[in-house]
Every structure is written in structure tokens, then in C-alpha cells.
Amino acid sequence: MATNKNIPEVEWEYAPSLEGTSHIQLKKKYDLFIGGKWVKPSSGKYFQSINPANEEVLAEVAYGSEKDVDIAVKAARKAYNEVWSIMPAAERAKYIYRIARLMQERARELAVIETLDGGKTIREARDIDVPLACNHFFYYAGWADKLEYAFPNRKVESLGVAGQIIPWNFPLLMAAWKIAPALAAGNTVVLKPAETTSLTALKLAEIIEAAGLPAGVVNIVTGYGDTGAAIVNHSDVNKIAFTGSTNVGKIIQKALAGTSKKLTLELGGKSANIIFDDAPIDQAVEGIVNGIFFNQGHVCCAGSRLFVQENVAEKVIAKLKERLKTLYVGNPLDKNTDIGAINSKEQLATITKYLEIGKQEGAEMYQPACTIPAKGFYCPPTLFTNVAQSNRIAQEEIFGPVLTIQTFRTIDEVIQKANNSPYGLAAGVWTEKGARIFNMANQLNAGVIWANTYNKFDPTSPFGGYKESGFGREGGVHGLAAYVKFV
Ligand code: NAP
Ligand code: MG
């Protein structure tokens, strides 16, 4: 950062700007949302959902067992056969629009609950998660009665009951990515949120109830991994859509082998962010920060591997270190906060383990001095330089605010290094030359490639991976295709 020698450097703080929570209505205990009703779990068991920013309990959430999943699938099947699959498509669209509008009306409440339950900054929940989630419902509502235009000259039919399992990093947004296209194409749904972040999916269930959606069209069954497995293995489910870790994705793929169930998997990533020497360096530094440090690195497509052209590496790293010093780590409800809470104690332990591995592998670690709240789960932004391609910190998904930095000289070298990963979810390319961007986009094995920007999303644009990042696309017409069969 350029400093004016005439002005003494001063440390200054922003005044806290806390988002209010008084308008939030959370029940003490949440039951399962099945067949349009709130029903008690057959096991009678509930688990706690905590706020990872201060470890306080927010609510108790029902544990849905195999038996409850079976009841939910039966409710979804009944709704599919008797109501949803035979309803005129324009009528289906009206319900989906209604859900979108009700979400917009309750946007502030949804954003605050997302922040409380998951630890992400209110800035992100308010400006990214919730508006994008609403837009997915608006976008797919528009397709519901236009399927013949989405797939010209093809006759399509809905699949039936979709089982959907989502992770904790974008809880409401992932629910929207899953539910909106499924409903638009005429399917009914059983969805399981991640156990640490069930609350916005349950709020969405309240919205769905308020929208008057016919009973059983959307069912929300909260629980643990075995609840997800019960959905996967249920014999009357026609499609599984899973977003989560590559390990669980592999278990699901094995479980479905030889069945007629359709499957889409959105899995992990280790995405490359590539800075050429002709890039606008200040913007690129912002892009790097946006790519990995905002949202605590809890982004499947996070730009977690930075490749910088050698002749500008020193400059980029120096600017990046200066920028890191200005990042606020702390209370996610404060609008000044850049890096909120890590989602869970377990995830913080995983990140901490990788910081140790990085040091043992001989990489050099940099963290700016920053104060971290005494309670809750936090990790300062972390850079690793002197990283080898074979290092575990450069190969494995850490899912935290941790960036590895490597340098390159030529285009061929960086393409080879970037593609040398079991994953292939996303990549960023920073350069002034359009032809180079197209060349890179052709050669990088990644589902999404951003040019001179990072982490930009739109409901019209498909998203998904290559290799161990999964298969199938969500968003756009491609996302709709995953919920129909061509007859
Ligand atoms: P995870 O452990 O795989 O969990 C994902 C979901 O699957 C959770 O709801 C989980 O329930 C459930 N689950 C666990 N075991 C299961 C089983 N055997 N069968 C069926 N469901 C099961 O992943 P995570 O740690 O929550 O999420 C982080 C991962 O998601 C990262 O790898 C990230 O890259 C990936 N991700 C990918 C995308 C993408 O679009 N490609 C987007 C976001 C995140 P519990 O919560 O109860 O364990
Ligand atoms: Mg929580």
C-alpha cells in the first residue's frame, strides 16, 4: 500500500456496526416438515444448532431417522402423483414465484439467521446468499411453463421424487439451487440440510407453508449423515442431487451404481487463481482476497491455489500481505467484518491441522497480527509461500481462509500446474489479453473459469465440476435438464 511519507501511519478502527437480531423469530425446537405439517421425529431425538461465532445454542432441531425419511418420501410420492405432476405448468410457476417473493420480503431475517447459524459474515449473507437464493426461485419459476423452449424439439417429463442433500457453506442458497429447478420441472422433493446449518432451510419450509404449496411437494428432513444415506438408499426416490465432500460423493455414487436413480454430484475443489504480469495488480489482489478469504474460505470453488507470474510475484505478495493486515476477523454480525466464524469446531480443527502440515512440509506461513474473539471458532487469513506442487496443502481441499502461493514463468507451465489436481471445479485468470483468456479457458480443466474477476454467480449460468469435483450442472437450462427425462 502506498504511504505518504508526510502523514504519520495511524492505526484506526471502524466503529462497530452490528446488524440487529431483535426481528428474528426462532422457535426453541424445530420438528420435521413432512406432508405440509410439522411432525415430531419418530426417534423423539433432537440436536442443537449453535452459533459458531459465540458457541451459544440457537435452537434444537429434530433428528430424522430412516423411518421419517420413508414417511417423507411417501408424502412426496403422493403429492407428485395426485397434485404436482398433473397441475398445469403455469400454476406451478405461480407457487414458485410466490416462494421467491416471500423470501424477498423476509430477506433480512433470512440473512441474519444464515449468519447466526453458519458463522458467515452478514455482508455476504445479505448481499450474496439471500438475493441469489431468491433469484434462483424467480429464474426457475420463469421456466416452469416453457419447458418446450428450454429443450426445443425434445419431449420431456419430470422424474418423480428428488432426494436432495446439501452442505453447510451456503445453506439457503444450496436449498434454492436444489428445490427451484426440481419444482419447475414438476418433481417433488425431500431435502436434508447439513446438521450445523438447518435453520434457514426450516425458515424456507415456513415460507413454503405460507406460500400454500400443496402438502408434500417439499419436505425438509433434518438430521445427520445417516439421514442423508436413508434418502440416497430409499427405493422410491428417482433422483439424488448431492452437494458436499468428495468422500461422501463417492459413497453415494457407489450406493447408486446399478440403480435407475439419476445422480448429480457437486463436490470439493482446489481451484487455481492465475495472475499474469500484465494483469491489473490492485484489482487482482482484491480478486484473490474475494476468492479465498471472504466467507472464511468456505466456498467449494474458492481460489485456494494462487499462481503468480514470477516477475510480478514479489509485488503481488507484498500487496497481498498489506491487504491482509486490513481485514477484520470477528463477529460476523458486524457489517465491517471481512472474515467471520469458521462453521464448526471440527472444521476449525481440520484447518488447524493443515496449517501444521504446511509448516512441516517446509512452506512458509504468514498471518497478519489480528485479534480474535475469545469464544467461537476463528482462523486468521493465512498465506503459504515456498510451496511445492506435491505438498498436501497444495493438493488437498482445506476449506478455510488459507492460500498457497506458487510462481510460474510460462503459460504451458501454469496450465500444467493448475490442472495437476484431482479436482476441477473453477479457475480465475487475470490478464489484459482477451486471446490469452480464451486460450486458458480452453486448456484449464475446470467447470467455471472467471476472467479478471472471481466468485461471480448468476442463476442463468451453469455451475459444476470436472474430475473429482463431480458431474452434472446446476443453474441455467443445464440445471433444469438435471430434473427431467427426455422421452
Ligand atoms: P459433507 O460432509 O459431504 O456433507 C454434505 C451433506 O451430506 C450434509 O448434509 C451431510 O450431513 C450429508 N452426509 C454426510 N454423510 C452422508 C452419507 N453417507 N450419505 C448421504 N449424506 C451424507 O460435506 P460438508 O463438509 O458439509 O461440506 C463441505 C464440502 O462441500 C466441501 O468439500 C465443498 O467443496 C463441498 N461443496 C461443493 C459445492 C459444489 O457446488 N461443488 C458447493 C458447496 C460445497 P451432515 O451435515 O449431518 O454430516
Ligand atoms: Mg449452527
Side-chain angles (χ1 to χ4, degrees):
M1 210 179 285
T3 42
N4 185 335
K5 293 274 182 296
N6 299 321
I7 304 172
E9 257 189 73
V10 278
E11 290 254 335
W12 52 281
E13 294 278 328
Y14 292 114
S17 174
L18 289 181
E19 176 69 56
T21 54
S22 54
H23 60 297
I24 302 307
Q25 290 186 359
L26 278 178
K27 289 191 265 185
K28 277 205 156 56
K29 219 177 201 185
Y30 282 91
D31 289 321
L32 307 167
F33 184 66
I34 298 178
K37 294 197 181 71
W38 294 91
V39 298
K40 301 215 171 306
S42 55
S43 66
K45 284 189 197 146
Y46 292 80
F47 59 93
Q48 293 178 334
S49 201
I50 65 154
N51 177 351
N54 57 19
E55 300 173 56
E56 281 169 17
V57 177
L58 293 166
E60 295 213 318
V61 176
Y63 160 67
S65 63
E66 203 178 330
K67 194 168 165 197
D68 300 306
V69 166
D70 183 51
I71 299 169
V73 173
K74 288 198 169 104
R77 176 62 61 191
K78 186 170 187 304
Y80 178 77
N81 288 342
E82 294 176 10
V83 187
W84 200 245
S85 67
I86 50 177
M87 182 184 282
E91 291 301 308
R92 280 206 309 266
K94 284 185 200 167
Y95 285 107
I96 307 171
Y97 277 124
R98 207 178 291 162
I99 295 169
R101 284 195 301 269
L102 287 169
M103 283 171 77
Q104 272 187 329
E105 276 170 25
R106 292 173 67 173
R108 190 153 161 247
E109 184 187 8
L110 291 170
V112 173
I113 295 173
E114 201 71 310
T115 289
L116 289 172
D117 200 20
K120 68 169 57 204
T121 62
I122 186 69
R123 231 169 48 200
E124 180 172 71
R126 180 197 62 193
D127 296 346
I128 297 173
D129 295 61
V130 175
L132 261 179
C134 298
N135 285 346
H136 264 84
F137 278 99
F138 277 119
Y139 172 74
Y140 282 111
W143 275 125
D145 62 348
K146 303 177 195 68
L147 294 183
E148 70 263 39
Y149 299 100
F151 310 107
N153 303 320
R154 313 279 305 266
K155 192 166 159 20
V156 295
E157 278 175 9
S158 52
L159 297 171
V161 177
Q164 309 182 320
I165 299 154
I166 57 174
W168 44 258
N169 56 345
F170 288 90
L172 183 68
L173 182 59
M174 289 300 115
W177 277 27
K178 299 274 180 287
I179 295 174
L183 296 189
N187 306 281
T188 58
V189 164
V190 177
L191 176 126
K192 187 198 99 68
E195 68 191 65
T196 57
T197 54
S198 304
L199 297 183
T200 45
L202 292 163
K203 279 278 150 187
L204 181 59
E206 288 178 5
I207 286 172
I208 282 168
E209 206 180 5
L213 198 73
V217 173
V218 172
N219 305 276
I220 309 284
V221 183
T222 46
Y224 304 136
D226 60 339
T227 313
I231 296 176
V232 169
N233 295 318
H234 196 289
S235 58
D236 201 29
V237 167
N238 304 98
K239 148 128 198 159
I240 295 293
F242 172 78
T243 298
S245 62
T246 294
N247 280 345
V248 175
K250 286 180 182 173
I251 295 172
I252 292 176
Q253 201 174 1
K254 278 184 199 144
L256 295 196
T259 73
S260 62
K261 289 176 199 168
K262 262 196 153 189
L263 175 65
T264 41
L265 294 175
E266 302 277 7
L267 309 176
K270 191 77 181 173
S271 299
N273 208 356
I274 301 168
I275 318 290
F276 285 96
D277 59 3
D278 64 342
I281 299 292
D282 289 330
Q283 284 90 327
V285 168
E286 280 311 300
I288 297 163
V289 170
N290 175 38
I292 180 73
F293 296 120
F294 293 162
N295 195 23
Q296 304 74 248
H298 291 346
V299 187
C300 51
C301 51
S304 51
R305 289 184 299 152
L306 177 64
F307 293 98
V308 194
Q309 204 154 19
E310 200 175 81
N311 50 341
V312 290
E314 212 173 301
K315 187 172 163 189
V316 170
I317 293 167
K319 279 183 182 259
L320 198 52
K321 285 182 176 172
E322 283 305 311
R323 182 67 176 96
L324 256 49
K325 286 180 196 162
T326 68
L327 294 180
Y328 271 59
V329 184
N331 186 352
L333 275 178
D334 190 329
K335 288 166 218 154
N336 300 311
T337 298
D338 298 298
I339 301 181
I342 300 300
N343 181 265
S344 65
K345 198 176 185 172
E346 292 72 26
Q347 186 57 27
L348 181 58
T350 304
I351 298 168
T352 312
K353 178 191 82 183
Y354 275 106
L355 299 187
E356 281 312 310
I357 291 173
K359 285 188 273 183
Q360 279 162 18
E361 285 177 322
E364 207 169 296
M365 188 170 97
Y366 170 82
Q367 289 179 330
C370 57
T371 43
I372 275 178
K375 276 214 125 190
F377 317 126
Y378 294 91
C379 178
T382 308
L383 301 180
F384 275 110
T385 49
N386 199 19
V387 174
Q389 186 70 22
S390 58
N391 285 168
R392 285 181 64 189
I393 53 166
Q395 287 289 333
E396 297 173 18
E397 185 182 48
I398 300 173
F399 224 57
V402 183
L403 179 69
T404 61
I405 305 180
Q406 294 171 263
T407 60
F408 68 93
R409 288 186 186 168
T410 67
I411 291 185
D412 287 346
E413 180 190 351
V414 75
I415 286 170
Q416 203 180 37
K417 282 181 169 169
N419 285 342
N420 180 354
S421 161
Y423 297 109
L425 199 51
V429 179
W430 297 78
T431 173
E432 195 184 59
K433 296 184 183 62
R436 183 181 282 164
I437 291 167
F438 285 115
N439 177 26
M440 297 288 292
N442 275 331
Q443 297 195 62
L444 288 169
N445 292 329
V448 178
I449 294 167
W450 286 290
N452 295 322
T453 187
Y454 207 90
N455 272 350
K456 286 277 181 291
F457 286 89
D458 190 275
T460 63
S461 173
F463 181 86
Y466 275 74
K467 300 194 276 186
E468 292 199 9
S469 292
F471 50 79
R473 295 292 178 260
E474 295 189 300
V477 180
H478 298 70
L480 202 55
Y483 285 95
V484 296
K485 57 176 177 250
F486 296 97
V487 288

